[in-house]
Amino acid sequence: MNKIWVIGLGPGHPDYMLPIAKRKLLQAKRVYGGKRHLETYNMKGDKVQIKIPLFETIEDIKSNYRLNQTAVLVSGDTGFYSFLEMLKEHFSEDELETYPGISSLQYLFSKLNMSYHNAYIGSVHGRAIDDEEFRNYNIMGLLTDKKQGPKELMDKLRKLDLSATLFIGENLSYSTEKITAIHTSEEIERTYSSLCVVVIKFD
Ligand SMILES: C[S@@+](CC[C@H](N)C(=O)[O-])C[C@H]1O[C@@H](n2cnc3c(N)ncnc32)[C@H](O)[C@@H]1O
């Protein structure tokens, strides 16, 4: 029986995709993914853009995956805030096969020559983090979004009277990649890309 391959693409540039994931993607007959991903990566199968609300895409996968080897593309790593959790609500363990990728946060930590084994790793993308977490860690790595970006994190740190350096990684691994550092004592003077992760290093 065909399993649905859930493939982690890494941060965005195909150089950062694992070889086994690249091979699986080339073998897939039907590939579900975001527009940017379907345009960027090398594949031979039919491309199907993932739609919001996601249940339409789920229904489409349900009616096709048994006949055509199906792959679902997710950004970064499959195990870190990806579409995998939603797929698990609709398909059994036996129906899914996962190929990991490099997370956007892993990539930023590597660019900063920093380890993350003692860091708080999480997300403010559509969720909130307890104030206590900001006080409990020396280093944090966070996914962000349009509503909760570097500026909002800076405001939060100031409100909690914490001083730190924010390392901001925008469009990581793309030609437009920008990694900048700003301290809580400085003012943010520009807007950041919505494709952005932040590492916070407390003083
Ligand atoms: C739905 S989450 C997916 C996270 C992904 N599974 C991972 O491991 O990186 C989307 C968030 O990932 C981050 N992200 C993904 N790719 C990125 C990139 N190339 N540059 C900066 N941030 C990225 C952004 O914070 C974005 O809002």
Side-chain angles (χ1 to χ4, degrees):
M1 188 186 78
N2 280 338
K3 294 195 181 207
I4 300 160
W5 294 339
V6 187
I7 298 180
L9 295 171
H13 192 288
D15 279 359
Y16 285 93
M17 189 176 174
L18 295 182
I20 189 166
K22 277 188 180 168
R23 276 205 306 280
K24 291 289 168 187
L25 178 52
L26 279 174
Q27 287 167 19
K29 298 278 184 284
R30 195 171 170 86
V31 182
Y32 294 80
K35 192 168 180 281
R36 181 166 47 93
H37 294 146
L38 294 173
E39 284 167 2
T40 309
Y41 290 85
N42 201 6
M43 61 194 81
K44 293 181 179 148
D46 295 338
K47 299 177 183 186
V48 188
Q49 201 176 318
I50 292 178
K51 288 199 193 104
I52 306 283
L54 291 169
F55 69 81
E56 276 186 37
T57 300
I58 299 278
E59 288 309 312
D60 200 86
I61 297 174
K62 274 187 187 163
S63 35
N64 281 290
Y65 85 96
R66 288 191 184 81
L67 299 171
N68 301 299
Q69 178 57 63
T70 290
V72 180
L73 306 181
V74 303
S75 73
D77 184 32
T78 48
F80 189 56
Y81 295 105
S82 87
F83 193 31
L84 176 63
E85 283 309 301
M86 171 100 171
L87 288 170
K88 284 175 69 172
E89 288 171 20
H90 297 271
F91 300 95
S92 70
E93 292 291 331
D94 290 344
E95 293 170 296
L96 299 170
E97 198 163 279
T98 297
Y99 295 91
I102 294 170
S103 161
S104 51
L105 266 180
Q106 255 180 301
Y107 178 97
L108 180 57
F109 274 110
S110 137
K111 282 282 171 176
L112 298 171
N113 297 319
M114 278 171 78
S115 305
Y116 55 89
H117 49 254
N118 288 326
Y120 175 97
I121 300 294
S123 176
V124 290
H125 176 40
R127 68 194 67 233
I129 292 179
D130 278 357
D131 290 354
E132 269 320 287
E133 306 291 11
F134 289 92
R135 295 197 178 94
N136 286 343
Y137 285 83
N138 292 325
I139 296 175
M140 295 176 93
L142 301 170
L143 302 178
T144 68
D145 63 19
K146 271 187 202 147
K147 288 189 186 150
Q148 287 295 319
K151 181 168 183 323
E152 289 71 22
L153 283 171
M154 182 73 108
D155 292 345
K156 166 69 113 185
L157 294 171
R158 285 185 181 155
K159 202 174 135 210
L160 296 173
D161 208 16
L162 294 168
S163 73
T165 303
L166 283 75
F167 297 94
I168 300 163
E170 298 166 88
N171 306 324
L172 294 171
S173 82
Y174 293 104
S175 58
T176 51
E177 170 179 299
K178 228 180 211 173
I179 299 175
T180 44
I182 185 162
H183 192 263
T184 42
S185 57
E186 298 171 284
E187 290 307 320
I188 287 188
E189 276 167 2
R190 69 176 179 92
T191 52
Y192 293 92
S193 162
S194 55
L195 198 60
C196 178
V197 292
V198 176
V199 167
I200 304 172
K201 190 166 183 283
F202 293 93
D203 292 349

